[in-house]
Amino acid sequence: MKKYFEFEKLGTNYRREIIGGLTTFLAMAYILAVNPIMLSLEVVPDLPDAMRMDKGAVFVATALAAAVGSLFMGLIAKYPIGLAPGMGLNAFFAFTVVLTYGIPWQTALTGVLFSGLIFIILSLSGLRELIINAIPSQLKLAVGAGIGLFITFLGLQNAKIIVADPNTLVTLGDLSAGPTLLAIFGLVVTVIMMVRKIKGAIFYGMILTTILGMIVSLIDLPTKVVDKVPSVAPTFGAAFEALFNDPASLMTTQFLVIVITFLFVDFFDTAGTLVAVATQAGLMKDEKLPRAGKALLADSLATVTGSIFGTSTTTSYIESTAGVAAGAKTGFASIVTGVLFLLALFFSPLLFVITPEVTAPALIIVGVLMVSTLGNIEWTKFEIAVPAFFTIIAMPLTYSIATGIAIGFIFYPITMLLSGRRKEIHPIMYGLFILFILYFIFIK
């Protein structure tokens, strides 16, 4: 096992990888509770039952998709990256495709299946890897820093340190509120341990925050440890129903737009996550991502598997950076994460002690670590500074990694051409320039 994952070469060991994989799981575990609520449209009253996915089945599908996806990533690509149904894509699935377009959720799953199959074809052809390696190093640095700001923003929101405001969009939250104070405690404790260079500081910070939350009754004690696994039958295989029962529903422009949207967002969210995690873990070589094709194939296979189980697009999770910060450097950490998602099927009551306030400090600290790439960007060169800045700032402001990448990649060829640096632009960047403009015109 050590030889397969190159522990000695990468300077890691079982303890670091296990703690890293566990930290990634804890940072991602919220999806097991959130995804069933999203896809069942529980927050929307008075909907026909036919429009709602079964919550229990979605819970099982979410756990299985995350487990299989993480295992694929660990075994095939050897990257410390956990996968699960993506936030944002599940909202698009539920609120846009099903609720707004009125498309049955079974047909929406078919759209996810198709996007995953196209992903596999692109991955096997090498086109996805070619695109990622064609991205200039300065924009890769910007993507990493932008994701850092984005997940810090997520952490601050989860902690309710930053809240919505009708006048200024966002403002400072109530710092005297119990849950917010708990998150601040976790942040302070984690910072102290990080400064003292304690290995696994982020993981230990989450554990201490959880314990304090239960002591002061801000986190409910689990009523039981083990619970029965719900049936996945209501959603399993539903992605094939439209293919056999109503193939005409798949021959519409609307369905094509749905597939392209799933494809586009997953592709560039995953590309950004891979670059960010690999950079943070020190796995980039000559400004290129080793085994990028295998990582993308693992992501593609996870999406197809997830759609068959009955969930929205499965994608690489930026929360994996928490595991990397805790010491993970190899795919063994992803295997740990995958196994924990399988165990979660039986220990679901314990998941409810991992609240947003517990994971918020981890996201904030990881954001601090990731924005360190800002120092390597050539800010004195305006043709670089403009696309880099727009990539970075757009991610938190638009709440989308893919949108931040799109905006930055549109400006890059423009500024480089105008500055007389045409020869430094990879031909693929021109194609992405056109693709992103078409995306904003016809889809976004």
Side-chain angles (χ1 to χ4, degrees), residues 369-442:
L369 296 173
M370 292 184 67
V371 296
S372 62
T373 59
L374 285 172
N376 298 319
I377 296 174
E378 298 174 341
W379 293 109
T380 55
K381 297 179 180 178
F382 199 67
E383 65 272 21
I384 296 294
V386 168
F389 177 77
F390 284 147
T391 299
I392 293 165
I393 199 65
M395 288 187 190
L397 293 186
T398 64
Y399 221 72
S400 168
I401 294 172
T403 300
I405 291 174
I407 293 173
F409 283 26
I410 286 173
F411 273 92
Y412 179 79
I414 296 173
T415 57
M416 292 293 283
L417 279 171
L418 293 175
S419 65
R421 299 174 65 177
R422 176 178 59 82
K423 293 182 179 179
E424 298 179 43
I425 307 173
H426 195 289
I428 286 179
M429 294 302 293
Y430 291 114
L432 293 177
F433 169 81
I434 295 170
L435 177 65
F436 285 130
I437 288 178
L438 292 175
Y439 172 76
F440 282 120
I441 292 174
F442 295 107

Side-chain angles (χ1 to χ4, degrees), residues 314-352:
T314 304
T315 188
S316 301
Y317 259 56
I318 194 57
E319 284 85 349
S320 304
T321 51
V324 173
K329 286 191 175 183
T330 77
F332 188 80
S334 297
I335 292 175
V336 172
T337 301
V339 170
L340 289 171
F341 270 111
L342 285 177
L343 292 176
L345 288 168
F346 305 95
F347 295 92
S348 57
L350 294 179
L351 296 174
F352 294 100

Side-chain angles (χ1 to χ4, degrees), residues 14 61 254 330:
Y14 282 118
Q254 193 177 56
T330 77

Side-chain angles (χ1 to χ4, degrees), residues 32 35 39 53-72 83-85 93 105-106 108-110 112-113 229-241 300-314 338 341-342 345:
L32 292 170
N35 204 45
L39 298 192
M53 297 182 71
D54 182 87
K55 278 185 66 177
V58 174
F59 167 75
V60 176
T62 301
L64 291 175
V68 172
S70 299
L71 290 171
F72 277 154
L83 288 86
F93 180 105
W105 58 264
Q106 294 91 338
L109 285 176
T110 308
V112 175
L113 174 65
V229 179
S231 172
V232 74
T235 60
F236 183 76
F240 298 108
E241 289 186 15
S300 309
L301 291 170
T303 291
V304 171
T305 304
S307 68
I308 294 171
F309 284 136
T311 184
S312 53
T313 305
T314 304
F341 270 111
L342 285 177
L345 288 168

Side-chain angles (χ1 to χ4, degrees), residues 28-355:
M28 294 172 60
Y30 68 87
I31 195 63
L32 292 170
V34 174
N35 204 45
I37 293 173
M38 295 285 282
L39 298 192
S40 67
L41 290 167
E42 186 179 88
V43 296
V44 182
D46 304 323
L47 276 182
D49 289 340
M51 293 183 68
R52 301 184 188 275
M53 297 182 71
D54 182 87
K55 278 185 66 177
V58 174
F59 167 75
V60 176
T62 301
L64 291 175
V68 172
S70 299
L71 290 171
F72 277 154
M73 184 63 74
L75 292 169
I76 297 174
K78 304 180 186 179
Y79 276 112
I81 297 175
L83 288 86
M87 291 296 294
L89 284 165
N90 57 4
F92 174 77
F93 180 105
F95 293 96
T96 301
V97 178
V98 176
L99 192 61
T100 304
Y101 294 169
I103 291 175
W105 58 264
Q106 294 91 338
T107 306
L109 285 176
T110 308
V112 175
L113 174 65
F114 278 23
S115 71
L117 292 173
I118 295 171
F119 262 173
I120 291 175
I121 294 169
L122 292 176
S123 298
L124 292 175
S125 70
L127 181 60
R128 291 178 75 181
E129 183 174 8
L130 186 65
I131 291 173
I132 289 181
N133 287 331
I135 299 171
S137 60
Q138 293 293 304
L139 284 187
K140 285 177 179 174
L141 294 171
V143 167
I147 292 175
L149 288 182
F150 178 56
I151 63 174
T152 296
F153 186 43
L154 286 177
L156 292 170
Q157 282 186 301
N158 288 347
K160 292 185 172 57
I161 295 173
I162 298 296
V163 296
D165 184 271
N167 298 316
T168 60
L169 295 183
V170 292
T171 189
L172 190 66
D174 180 6
L175 300 186
S176 64
T180 303
L181 284 173
L182 180 63
I184 292 173
F185 165 81
L187 180 59
V188 172
V189 167
T190 306
V191 166
I192 291 172
M193 289 191 289
M194 291 288 291
V195 171
R196 298 298 300 172
K197 294 181 170 53
I198 296 174
K199 296 293 184 181
I202 291 177
F203 170 69
Y204 296 134
M206 294 169 70
I207 296 299
L208 291 173
T209 305
T210 302
I211 292 172
L212 177 63
M214 289 189 286
I215 290 173
V216 299
S217 300
L218 287 172
I219 296 176
D220 295 332
L221 290 169
T223 55
K224 51 186 174 180
V225 175
V226 180
D227 202 0
K228 184 176 69 173
V229 179
S231 172
V232 74
T235 60
F236 183 76
F240 298 108
E241 289 186 15
L243 281 170
F244 298 108
N245 299 333
D246 189 17
S249 66
L250 310 181
M251 306 297 177
T252 65
T253 303
Q254 193 177 56
F255 183 77
L256 178 63
V257 169
I258 291 167
V259 173
I260 291 174
T261 302
F262 284 140
L263 188 68
F264 179 90
V265 177
D266 188 21
F267 182 101
F268 288 100
D269 269 1
T270 299
T273 299
L274 287 173
V275 169
V277 173
T279 301
Q280 186 187 350
L283 301 175
M284 295 288 282
K285 293 181 179 179
D286 300 322
E287 300 178 353
K288 291 186 177 181
L289 189 68
R291 307 182 305 280
K294 291 182 177 180
L296 296 167
L297 177 61
D299 188 279
S300 309
L301 291 170
T303 291
V304 171
T305 304
S307 68
I308 294 171
F309 284 136
T311 184
S312 53
T313 305
T314 304
T315 188
S316 301
Y317 259 56
I318 194 57
E319 284 85 349
S320 304
T321 51
V324 173
K329 286 191 175 183
T330 77
F332 188 80
S334 297
I335 292 175
V336 172
T337 301
V339 170
L340 289 171
F341 270 111
L342 285 177
L343 292 176
L345 288 168
F346 305 95
F347 295 92
S348 57
L350 294 179
L351 296 174
F352 294 100
V353 303
I354 309 299
T355 63

